Amino acid sequence: MTNLKPLHQLLRVASHLLDQAATEVRDTQLEPIPENIEGIGRALLEVMEVQRKIFAVRPELRPKTLAASDREADANKLFTQFMLEALELEDTGNTVAAVERYTRFIGISPSYHHREIARAEIRRLT
């Protein structure tokens, strides 16, 4: 098998840049905000899926701070799930239910960064 380390390094950079891009979309209010963040979130999930495949073949490439990486991955998945649900509710005009989804997420998320994004979405919807 070819050397997967360069691909692994590129994907780490890509995931970091995608995370920054989602924050930038929110901060700059680039419309349509929900669709833009959703698209970036989907791209991030695809990157994470390729990273998981790399780790299955080359476990030594997993970050040394494995626990933190797993927590971050779980937080990203949880946030993506809640955000997609909230965006679907918003698309149907049910902003009250969308706010409730974000509020529920804030109550269970261990990730400060993701909770702050959810709070910003609540402010946008209210």
Side-chain angles (χ1 to χ4, degrees):
M1 179 167 287
T2 60
N3 182 7
L4 293 174
K5 190 171 183 176
L7 175 59
H8 163 68
Q9 291 171 329
L10 285 171
L11 292 173
R12 285 185 66 192
V13 170
S15 64
H16 179 71
L17 291 173
L18 286 168
D19 184 55
Q20 285 182 327
T23 301
E24 195 67 21
V25 164
R26 184 202 65 209
D27 291 348
T28 61
Q29 299 292 303
L30 178 64
E31 295 291 341
I33 296 167
E35 289 87 354
N36 291 335
I37 291 176
E38 180 180 351
I40 292 169
R42 286 184 183 166
L44 184 57
L45 285 175
E46 294 298 326
V47 168
M48 291 169 56
E49 183 56 32
V50 175
Q51 287 175 315
R52 273 191 260 286
K53 291 175 183 175
I54 291 172
F55 299 149
V57 176
R58 298 276 310 275
E60 72 277 10
L61 292 177
R62 280 187 160 253
K64 300 215 183 308
T65 55
L66 181 59
S69 293
D70 286 344
R71 279 194 306 268
E72 289 171 5
D74 289 344
N76 283 335
K77 277 193 234 178
L78 183 66
F79 181 68
T80 300
Q81 173 191 345
F82 272 80
M83 181 164 222
L84 289 173
E85 292 170 6
L87 290 171
E88 286 176 14
L89 290 165
E90 182 182 352
D91 287 345
T92 64
N94 194 349
T95 56
V96 172
V99 168
E100 288 173 1
R101 289 306 293 162
Y102 287 121
T103 302
R104 182 164 181 260
F105 171 80
I106 290 168
I108 64 172
S109 174
S111 168
Y112 173 80
H113 175 71
H114 291 102
R115 288 192 313 266
E116 286 303 301
I117 294 171
R119 285 184 182 100
E121 287 299 300
I122 290 170
R123 284 190 299 275
R124 181 182 63 80
L125 292 169
T126 56

